Amino acid sequence: MSPLINIFKKKSSTSNVQSIIDKYNKDQTRLMDILIDIQAEIGYISNESASLIANQLKISKVDVEQTLSFYHFFSQKETGKYTIYLNDSAVAEMMGRNEVAKAFEEAAGSKFGEVTKDGKIGLFNTSCIGMNDQEPAAIINGVIFTRITPYRAKEIIQDMKNGKAVNEMGLQSFGDGNNSSNYIQSMVSNNIRRKGPVIFSDYNLGKSIKKIVNMKPTDVIRDVKASNVRGRGGAGFPTGMKWEFCRNAAGDQRYIFCNADEGEPGTFKDRVILTELPKLIFEGMTVAGYAVGATEGILYLRYEYKYLQKYLEQVLEELKTANLLGTNIGGKNGFNFNIRIQFGAGAYVCGEESALIESAEGKRGEPRDRPPFPVEQGYLNKPTVVNNVETLCSVVKIITEGPNWYKSFGTKDSAGTKVLSISGDCMNPGIYEIEWGFNINDILKMVGANDVQAVQVGGPSGALIAPTEFDRILCYSDLSTGGSIIIFNSKRDLLKNVVLNFMDFFIEESCGSCVPCRCLTVLFREKLLKILKGNGVMQDIDDMISWGPTMLSNRCGLGHTAANPILTSIKNFRPLYESKIQQNKLFDSGFNLQEAIAECCEATGRQPIL
Amino acid sequence: MAELIKFTIDNQDCLAEKGLYIVEAAAKNNIYIPTLCNIPGVKPRGACRICSVRVNGKLMSACTTPIADNMKIENNTPEIVEMRKIILETLFVSGNHFCPACERSGSCDLQALAYRFGILNQRFPYQFPSKSIDASHPKIMKDHDRCILCKRCIRGIKTEDGKSFFAYKKRGQTLEISIDTELTSQLTDELAIKAANLCPVGAILLKERGYNIPIGKRQYDLTPIGNEIDHLEK
Amino acid sequence: MSKPIIATTSLAGCFGCHMSILDIDERILDLIELVEFNKSPIDDIKTFTKKCDIGIIEGGCCNSENIHVLKTFRENCKILISLGECARTGGLPAMRNNKVTVKECLEEAYLNCVTVDDNPDNIIPNDEELPFILDKVYPCHEIVKIDYFLPGCAPRADLIWNALVALITGKPMDLPYEVVKYD
């Protein structure tokens, strides 16, 4: 078993690296796993390790480095005996993350992005870690710390200075549900606030398997199609159709991926489903495998949820013992299906299905050109289905309860339920399973939100909605969402604290391949900063609107939506922008002579004359 | 004879063999679709997005999308032209493209596209990113200032056993292309020349030579890029 | 109708663009029939004596004096033209941007450069009469509004001629492929 939580990292040695490479049979497509294990065991991936990997995997060193340098949680330098990754999402900042960061810096005596001189403590920022309902949160050597206060931050650093193991740092109480199980033992809370009729309803383990072994695979697909279930990741592609395409595509092997890379800031529903209903997920993957004729399933899990690894591996063992995984499943000859867990290493874009497949093949998480689609040529160029966690869970219930039962929930064009991750300014942040068809007002009432200025629906890639639109309905034809709902009250500075933060997120998470996503986002951000600085003119707002359509030439969904924080906030909150621009000027370059000559004055010891 | 596909580009009826990508099929009909990252004969990678066209209303990269029956393609429309200008101008300000000092000036695809699109200035503020020149390789220089990260070198130059000399490093705005330091000896003179020629800009240059084509005789001094396809200038 | 008035200046440029203005050859005789020159190195008028119609700017802004001159041009000219790569993009002087600090520039120029042979006290000139070097070299339109851009290093004489004729006559500008170049 691979190392889970590196309570104390070991010293680098060639033999460690070699044994990790051997463990994965020197397989190029397992480069991610090799790098993850080396990172966990040694704390970084040295130049020598990269050379050794290249040599053993028979690829060039630049190819090792291109994967290695792509992912946030891989490092080519030492990251400290203790490595703190503190979330810098908008909600984390709202909940006091910056004060916590300051406390960490003061106590450690070093800045974020650095390691203390003694090599003991590394401080790093990281994008949303899926704990928006319990911020500020951090990952420290793989252990999740939630609701950190500045005081707690100082205690943590003191414990580190005293050499305490991370899992002994005063985790007095574990979270609810399975968070306290022996295999997790985490302080993370589930915060399940509302259980709906599909995902969080009663679940009989293996019931769907018992049923499908007496069905033809095509009949399973027929039922899934009849249910009208659509992808729950956000894009909403009809699941049954996806399965059918995959089944009908030519190939000697097929694969089922469960996409558990939820990286959209403000989304954390998969984390809770993984914690409470992992068997439901795996059962859904098995059903999918049976339907499309795949014998291998891969759970692609974001690195941030590595603390669930031991638990999930244990669940997989239990399912094998119960003949719900493995060979001749459910007593049916030839029904074989196995699942392995593939970890990511910190890249939001890997939530895009073709990027996820690239990543699982050991490469950079760059979305592929389409066509061909993954259902035709996916993982290892074989037909591949990639489904969201929630989609796969829904499928199990569709099989056991029937498509009509499923269709009885939701709206005409959006069947079933949606699990929402709700965070921000509200009384009860957490997980809510609702039927499609709720409007924003219903939701705000449900979560106890008052004085609401704006709601971000669908995370940064979605839209910032104003109160005039709170009667809009959550469904695929109106407000489609992967489940992230973030609420901002009237005290929040939307442009500075939300829109700018979201732009930073997209700039950080762009794979960089397409020009508009790599470069234009940066120019959008610069323009926003100009306006925030008070140097904006009306033309600046119009300029940004005029650049918007070009974002749609990017290859993937991340690229298409990467300027949405600005574009949707201009659309729905234009007065906020107009209040910050200079109404009496047509042109302002934003040039500031005093700032421009400061360096010269410093270098020559002169007083500025303006 | 290969099956012929019927499609239209900007309402012009076109015919091309099945299996071609839109860019190639357009060229067969004397219609130029600009590209920066495309290499004829190498699997396309849709990195620069300059070839974006509307296919039946949807934006697609013309270098990676195979032609299909009855496709309605929009190429030279005001919307697409504006998008391409934005992409070109974005590239200019996001790197350090000092044309007057660049050896590739006059034969540079990026510059030539800007000429073709009549770009007199960039609408965006210059970023002047802090990038460097890697001159450590004995045969070639990698000038990160000028690199537009099109991946041509990555995809087009491999060792005999298929290993990469070039690869992306990092991501997003810090993305760069690095050269393998352990395969140095396998980059033959022939491959080095091929790499320099593949580069659409002046980001890969051969050492110990330079400025060997006089001004006036360079590739795009008198003839616009794509002229061989659509004969824009006689 | 009185003749349009033109002013020109070279900021952080090499005067190559001005040479290119002169490169219109015998057409310069036509030009002086068409326009009147005010502040310009061409006639050596040092300060604006009246409001001008067209201001032609060569060079980007590398110091505080460039900024001052450029702003004066904006105040005194109806139309401003960035002439050449330095005015338009910062040009070759901008190669220092984000690569070397102002301090490094000054030290290289006055202390470390091989051609420095007589600075025993290691003095970097700091007289208050001297302009301040800017943190980076700026294209002119990143300081003031510029109305037209004529690229080239130097811009082809025909481009300059065509542009001026178009501006003066109000007719559309002729832009043959060979004359619009970035080098």
Side-chain angles (χ1 to χ4, degrees):
Chain A
M1 209 166 85
S2 59
L4 300 174
I5 291 166
N6 44 335
I7 294 161
F8 292 114
K9 291 162 187 165
K10 289 180 203 162
K11 273 227 158 3
S12 172
S13 83
T14 312
S15 64
N16 285 352
V17 175
Q18 184 64 54
S19 62
I20 290 168
I21 295 169
D22 291 340
K23 189 173 120 190
Y24 296 101
N25 301 320
K26 302 178 181 173
D27 181 353
Q28 293 174 15
T29 69
R30 301 302 294 273
L31 179 58
M32 282 293 282
D33 303 273
I34 292 169
L35 294 172
I36 288 168
D37 285 3
I38 296 172
Q39 177 77 38
E41 197 152 321
I42 296 161
Y44 72 110
I45 297 141
S46 67
N47 200 26
E48 293 71 35
S49 298
S51 290
L52 185 63
I53 296 167
N55 175 283
Q56 296 283 294
L57 267 50
K58 297 192 167 55
I59 55 178
S60 57
K61 194 178 165 195
V62 277
D63 275 338
V64 175
E65 286 168 344
Q66 69 166 335
T67 296
L68 162 55
S69 62
F70 183 82
Y71 295 92
H72 184 66
F73 291 108
F74 292 146
S75 172
Q76 289 172 273
K77 292 187 300 210
E78 295 199 42
T79 53
K81 188 175 156 193
Y82 299 98
T83 314
I84 299 175
Y85 286 101
L86 182 64
N87 183 8
D88 60 8
S89 75
V91 169
E93 285 186 5
M94 282 158 58
M95 301 301 156
R97 177 259 176 225
N98 289 341
E99 291 70 38
V100 171
K102 218 172 120 201
F104 272 131
E105 285 185 335
E106 277 170 16
S110 66
K111 296 275 169 207
F112 268 79
E114 293 174 0
V115 179
T116 51
K117 285 200 186 75
D118 58 6
K120 213 165 193 182
I121 303 165
L123 295 174
F124 301 94
N125 291 319
T126 197
S127 298
C128 187
I129 61 171
M131 302 289 158
N132 246 17
D133 56 341
Q134 41 209 305
E135 290 293 341
I139 308 174
I140 305 177
N141 291 16
V143 178
I144 309 282
F145 287 69
T146 63
R147 298 192 179 91
I148 305 170
T149 59
Y151 180 79
R152 185 82 189 94
K154 284 179 186 156
E155 275 184 348
I156 290 169
I157 297 290
Q158 195 52 50
D159 283 346
M160 289 175 175
K161 287 181 175 166
N162 294 337
K164 230 182 195 182
V166 175
N167 60 349
E168 287 166 7
M169 287 183 185
L171 301 171
Q172 315 84 336
S173 59
F174 298 129
D176 54 341
N178 289 335
N179 287 303
S180 62
S181 86
N182 284 340
Y183 293 102
I184 302 181
Q185 298 203 329
S186 168
M187 69 190 293
V188 173
S189 311
N190 287 331
N191 292 331
I192 303 171
R193 310 281 186 183
R194 183 187 172 108
K195 294 186 174 186
V198 177
I199 307 292
F200 287 106
S201 61
D202 292 342
Y203 163 51
N204 296 314
L205 175 66
K207 193 174 162 192
S208 72
I209 304 287
K210 268 186 213 132
K211 196 160 172 192
I212 59 168
V213 292
N214 295 314
M215 291 167 77
K216 283 191 290 198
T218 47
D219 291 344
V220 175
I221 293 178
R222 181 201 60 208
D223 281 4
V224 174
K225 276 172 86 174
S227 75
N228 290 342
V229 61
R230 294 165 69 171
R232 288 305 195 253
F237 192 83
T239 306
M241 212 191 276
K242 199 182 238 186
W243 289 14
E244 191 169 61
F245 286 151
C246 181
R247 179 167 184 87
N248 292 339
D252 51 2
Q253 171 63 290
R254 281 160 235 279
Y255 295 94
I256 304 296
F257 272 74
C258 173
N259 183 348
D261 192 51
E262 58 172 355
E264 187 79 43
T267 314
F268 44 87
K269 58 156 182 108
D270 291 347
R271 187 236 311 149
V272 176
I273 300 174
L274 285 157
T275 306
E276 295 306 317
L277 295 162
K279 288 173 183 165
L280 182 62
I281 303 171
F282 293 140
E283 192 169 326
M285 291 175 75
T286 311
V287 170
Y290 181 79
V292 308
T295 56
E296 198 179 326
I298 296 172
L299 172 73
Y300 188 97
L301 190 55
R302 65 189 309 223
Y303 189 84
E304 289 82 347
Y305 297 163
K306 206 159 197 301
Y307 73 102
L308 296 172
Q309 180 177 5
K310 212 159 85 174
Y311 167 71
L312 294 172
E313 283 173 347
Q314 170 60 26
V315 169
L316 287 174
E317 284 308 310
E318 283 174 35
L319 291 174
K320 268 184 211 159
T321 311
N323 190 222
L324 292 168
L325 271 181
T327 48
N328 302 327
I329 294 168
K332 179 151 179 146
N333 258 351
F335 180 8
N336 304 330
F337 194 72
N338 280 299
I339 295 174
R340 76 171 174 92
I341 301 173
Q342 172 69 59
F343 276 97
Y348 164 69
V349 66
C350 289
E352 196 277 343
E353 61 175 4
S354 65
L356 179 146
I357 290 168
E358 287 281 303
S359 178
E361 290 179 355
K363 295 183 267 186
R364 299 164 62 81
E366 276 178 36
R368 293 177 177 176
D369 296 301
R370 283 167 296 187
F373 291 88
V375 286
E376 306 163 284
Q377 288 175 41
Y379 183 60
L380 307 176
N381 284 327
K382 306 292 180 189
T384 301
V385 161
V386 182
N387 281 150
N388 183 269
V389 167
E390 204 184 330
T391 314
L392 289 163
C393 292
S394 303
V395 162
V396 174
K397 301 293 176 79
I398 289 164
I399 295 299
T400 56
E401 310 303 317
N404 287 331
W405 167 85
Y406 185 76
K407 273 198 294 196
S408 70
F409 307 111
T411 67
K412 205 171 175 197
D413 81 317
S414 308
T417 63
K418 182 77 198 91
V419 182
L420 301 177
S421 318
I422 303 182
S423 63
D425 294 315
C426 64
M427 297 282 287
N428 302 304
I431 296 296
Y432 295 78
E433 185 189 1
I434 57 153
E435 291 183 41
W436 289 110
F438 268 50
N439 69 25
I440 303 288
N441 278 321
D442 299 333
I443 287 167
L444 295 177
K445 210 162 153 193
M446 181 173 73
V447 302
N450 301 309
D451 187 25
V452 178
Q453 180 183 190
V455 177
Q456 184 78 28
V457 179
S461 70
L464 191 65
I465 302 294
T468 50
E469 294 191 287
F470 284 177
D471 55 353
R472 285 181 66 184
I473 287 168
L474 290 189
C475 62
Y476 288 106
S477 58
D478 188 1
L479 280 175
S480 180
T481 173
S484 164
I485 306 269
I486 308 174
I487 300 160
F488 305 105
N489 68 24
S490 65
K491 292 179 194 70
R492 306 293 175 189
D493 184 338
L494 289 183
L495 300 192
K496 201 167 138 228
N497 298 336
V498 180
V499 176
L500 182 60
N501 179 290
F502 287 170
M503 287 310 294
D504 286 340
F505 168 77
F506 281 119
I507 290 166
E508 167 70 28
E509 296 297 336
S510 166
C511 83
S513 186
C514 301
V515 176
C517 181
R518 178 179 76 235
C519 305
L520 196 51
T521 45
V522 177
L523 301 166
F524 266 107
R525 180 183 183 275
E526 191 168 313
K527 198 73 128 172
L528 175 63
L529 282 175
K530 185 187 169 198
I531 292 172
L532 288 174
K533 230 177 145 186
N535 293 325
V537 293
M538 196 62 92
Q539 185 66 43
D540 291 320
I541 301 175
D542 296 337
D543 282 349
M544 289 197 285
I545 294 170
S546 74
W547 306 343
T550 302
M551 297 303 290
L552 297 176
S553 69
N554 286 311
R555 190 186 304 138
C556 77
L558 187 160
H560 294 164
T561 57
N564 274 9
I566 287 178
L567 296 172
T568 68
S569 61
I570 292 179
K571 186 164 170 267
N572 297 330
F573 293 88
R574 194 174 169 117
L576 281 184
Y577 286 86
E578 288 178 348
S579 72
K580 288 192 159 64
I581 62 166
Q582 308 167 91
Q583 302 289 350
N584 56 342
K585 274 192 191 173
L586 290 173
F587 180 89
D588 187 339
S589 64
F591 175 75
N592 181 315
L593 184 59
Q594 189 161 5
E595 284 171 14
I597 64 170
E599 208 183 319
C600 180
C601 292
E602 168 86 30
T604 56
R606 293 173 61 188
Q607 290 302 311
I609 310 163
L610 296 173
Chain B
M1 199 182 132
E3 190 189 332
L4 286 180
I5 303 264
K6 265 174 77 176
F7 58 100
T8 66
I9 299 181
D10 298 332
N11 297 320
Q12 178 189 324
D13 289 328
C14 299
L15 275 178
E17 291 154 45
K18 190 179 176 176
L20 293 180
Y21 292 106
I22 293 174
V23 162
E24 300 165 328
K28 297 259 179 194
N29 290 272
N30 297 330
I31 293 171
Y32 174 64
I33 298 176
T35 60
L36 275 172
C37 66
N38 206 33
I39 318 169
V42 175
K43 190 176 176 240
R45 180 52 180 140
C48 71
R49 317 311 290 175
I50 199 85
C51 70
S52 294
V53 289
R54 277 203 187 277
V55 179
N56 302 333
K58 195 168 179 267
L59 276 178
M60 314 271 279
S61 48
C63 69
T64 63
T65 308
I67 197 79
D69 254 325
N70 297 319
M71 268 185 176
K72 200 171 174 294
I73 297 163
E74 294 168 49
N75 173 48
N76 199 17
T77 63
E79 179 218 8
I80 299 284
V81 168
E82 180 67 1
M83 187 173 290
R84 288 176 182 160
K85 282 185 176 177
I86 288 181
I87 293 173
L88 288 169
E89 292 173 29
T90 303
L91 279 170
F92 272 99
V93 301
S94 300
N96 293 309
H97 298 280
F98 299 107
C99 295
C102 179
E103 189 188 326
R104 199 61 191 268
S105 188
S107 308
C108 164
D109 288 0
L110 176 67
Q111 188 192 57
L113 280 175
Y115 293 167
R116 190 183 161 109
F117 282 90
I119 295 172
L120 298 178
N121 197 45
Q122 335 304 339
R123 70 194 74 188
F124 306 108
Y126 284 86
Q127 301 295 295
F128 299 114
S130 178
K131 294 185 178 179
S132 61
I133 297 173
D134 177 5
S136 60
H137 196 279
K139 293 197 173 92
I140 54 174
M141 285 184 289
K142 183 80 191 65
D143 188 337
H144 297 298
D145 279 329
R146 300 171 184 160
C147 181
I148 56 168
L149 302 157
C150 69
K151 276 195 164 183
R152 277 203 212 176
C153 57
I154 297 177
R155 290 153 51 228
I157 309 290
K158 302 275 178 187
T159 62
E160 271 180 24
D161 54 352
K163 287 186 186 171
S164 309
F165 285 107
F166 300 92
Y168 269 174
K169 199 173 183 178
K170 298 185 267 192
R171 69 186 189 197
Q173 61 172 332
T174 60
L175 186 67
E176 61 182 41
I177 288 176
S178 57
I179 313 178
D180 196 283
T181 49
E182 296 181 349
L183 297 174
T184 303
S185 62
Q186 292 188 48
L187 191 79
T188 58
D189 285 345
E190 195 187 325
L191 275 176
I193 292 168
K194 192 178 167 197
N197 289 340
L198 262 185
C199 181
V201 293
I204 299 175
L205 296 175
L206 295 170
K207 283 191 170 175
E208 296 175 11
R209 74 170 78 174
Y211 303 100
N212 50 350
I213 309 171
I215 292 175
K217 298 216 162 141
R218 301 168 306 183
Q219 194 175 359
Y220 303 120
D221 277 339
L222 302 172
T223 320
I225 190 169
N227 205 48
E228 70 285 2
I229 294 170
D230 68 353
H231 311 292
L232 193 67
E233 300 252 327
K234 290 283 167 328
Chain C
M1 200 179 86
S2 61
K3 288 202 265 186
I5 308 166
I6 293 184
T8 76
T9 188
S10 180
L11 306 175
C14 67
F15 265 91
C17 298
H18 273 79
M19 290 297 150
S20 211
I21 296 174
L22 301 180
D23 236 5
I24 60 177
D25 299 333
E26 73 281 1
R27 285 171 292 186
I28 199 148
L29 299 173
D30 299 330
L31 187 64
I32 49 172
E33 290 299 317
L34 287 169
V35 303
E36 174 190 335
F37 276 87
N38 198 264
K39 174 177 161 60
S40 170
I42 291 172
D43 55 17
D44 215 19
I45 297 178
K46 304 270 195 242
T47 52
F48 281 102
T49 58
K50 51 177 130 173
K51 294 280 180 191
C52 297
D53 296 288
I54 301 169
I56 297 176
I57 314 290
E58 170 188 343
C61 295
C62 78
N63 65 33
S64 54
E65 196 233 354
N66 296 154
I67 301 288
H68 173 76
V69 173
L70 181 58
K71 285 184 172 169
T72 314
F73 264 73
R74 182 71 275 180
E75 282 157 20
N76 286 283
C77 302
K78 281 187 204 147
I79 291 169
L80 277 195
I81 301 174
S82 266
L83 182 67
E85 292 306 286
C86 299
R88 192 178 77 86
T89 73
L92 300 196
M95 290 176 94
R96 76 165 159 98
N97 291 4
N98 292 331
K99 289 225 161 68
V100 285
T101 62
V102 171
K103 188 160 183 272
E104 285 167 333
C105 277
L106 292 168
E107 285 174 353
E108 180 66 17
Y110 296 107
L111 309 181
N112 305 327
C113 178
V114 286
T115 56
V116 174
D117 65 356
D118 193 21
N119 188 0
D121 298 328
N122 284 338
I123 289 166
I124 291 176
N126 59 359
D127 191 278
E128 65 174 26
E129 288 294 314
L130 291 170
F132 295 92
I133 306 291
L134 305 180
D135 56 344
K136 62 176 185 183
V137 178
Y138 292 78
C140 292
H141 64 282
E142 295 186 16
I143 307 295
V144 302
K145 181 168 171 37
I146 299 288
D147 303 288
Y148 297 102
F149 299 88
L150 298 176
C153 183
R156 307 299 183 266
D158 284 346
L159 178 68
I160 300 170
W161 173 253
N162 291 354
L164 287 177
V165 169
L167 265 179
I168 294 161
T169 61
K171 288 184 184 148
M173 184 173 165
D174 189 21
L175 275 176
Y177 179 80
E178 320 78 69
V179 305
V180 182
K181 292 287 178 287
Y182 295 169
D183 61 1

